[in-house]
Amino acid sequence: MKMEPAYTSVGKIFEYRPMFFIPKYQRAYAWEAESVEDFIKDLKNCFERRKSHTPVNHFFGGVLCVRYAVAGDVNQIEYEIIDGQQRISTFTLLMSCLIKIYKELLEQTQKKEDADNEFILEGRIKVLSERFVEFKQEVQRKVNSIEVMKLSRVDHPFYKELIREKNPSPQRDSHYKISKAYEMLLKAVRDIISSSKLEVIMDDIEIIQNIIDNDFTILYMVTDSIEDAFRLF
């Protein structure tokens, strides 16, 4: 069995144009409010520790993927998530909340004609969007928009519209759970960054980014064989 396990941060696996997808045989998004609350507690604890200059790692367990080369692009890899989809999906929901808040702050700076912070916010939105939502990719002289995360067939259309702020209507139980998780995460982030000063808010959101990039850790296991993955799973 060829396996490449690595103890790494969540942010590391989203570092350069990742492509994750949930196979059709996997269950839909299933985290109840209690699981999201536990996730938020971990986030708040890591935030408080970073604010006090004593950062701490929080381990979220294992994530198992099968790696596939993308046809037509020698540098692009696609990852099928065999185990860990609930956590990975929730991480991307959290980062979508940060992007939403950054966009709200951007509107404020534009109204105030605050060019410096407008430039900073535009840069942060671009970077996070390309890492956690979608990015542009050229394959054989054709440019396409590539989604970073694709949920299961029944969930993905709803998830795709939700993280792009298109207010989709839930059609099934898993959609309600995704929507509830997003609402809870957005509220939690707003509670964390409750300062009235723009610069403090921006600094606090950056701390949350640092938590994802450094403090939230997983055992990331990758194989090129679906048979090996199921053998381990």
Side-chain angles (χ1 to χ4, degrees), residues 21-179:
F21 71 95
I22 308 298
K24 61 183 179 181
Y25 54 81
Q26 288 274 16
R27 63 176 178 164
Y29 188 84
W31 266 18
E32 303 284 354
E34 183 178 357
S35 296
V36 182
E37 287 172 358
D38 289 340
F39 182 93
I40 289 170
K41 288 177 184 177
D42 297 331
L43 174 64
K44 289 183 175 179
N45 178 58
C46 287
F47 180 84
E48 291 168 2
R49 292 294 298 267
R50 274 206 166 261
K51 286 285 279 190
S52 63
H53 306 290
T54 57
V56 61
N57 285 342
H58 183 85
F59 181 58
F60 278 92
V63 173
L64 174 61
C65 294
V66 179
R67 173 174 49 205
Y68 303 98
V70 175
D73 190 333
V74 296
N75 297 316
Q76 189 63 58
I77 303 295
E78 188 174 35
Y79 297 92
E80 178 181 4
I81 300 176
I82 304 301
D83 185 34
Q85 69 143 314
Q86 309 297 328
R87 282 158 285 165
I88 294 294
S89 301
T90 306
F91 293 137
T92 59
L93 287 174
L94 172 61
M95 301 313 284
S96 298
C97 291
L98 299 192
I99 293 169
K100 175 179 173 61
I101 294 173
Y102 271 144
K103 288 180 177 178
E104 294 170 356
L105 297 177
L106 178 60
E107 289 184 8
Q108 296 176 24
T109 60
Q110 289 171 337
K111 290 177 181 178
K112 294 179 181 178
E113 297 183 349
D114 181 354
D116 288 342
N117 283 322
E118 181 180 342
F119 177 81
I120 292 169
L121 288 165
E122 286 176 340
R124 292 188 186 182
I125 291 168
K126 182 177 187 296
V127 169
L128 288 187
S129 296
E130 290 179 348
R131 289 182 64 193
F132 295 95
V133 180
E134 66 181 0
F135 57 88
K136 299 292 186 182
Q137 180 186 64
E138 184 223 328
V139 177
Q140 297 178 344
R141 299 180 305 285
K142 184 177 180 181
V143 178
N144 297 309
S145 291
I146 306 298
E147 295 177 80
V148 171
M149 180 71 177
K150 291 184 179 180
L151 268 61
S152 63
R153 179 178 57 82
V154 296
D155 284 346
H156 187 65
F158 178 82
Y159 164 84
K160 181 179 180 179
E161 291 197 349
L162 178 69
I163 64 174
R164 289 165 176 78
E165 302 177 52
K166 294 184 178 180
N167 301 315
S169 298
Q171 301 296 320
R172 52 187 292 134
D173 180 62
S174 56
H175 296 175
Y176 284 101
K177 287 176 178 174
I178 293 170
S179 181

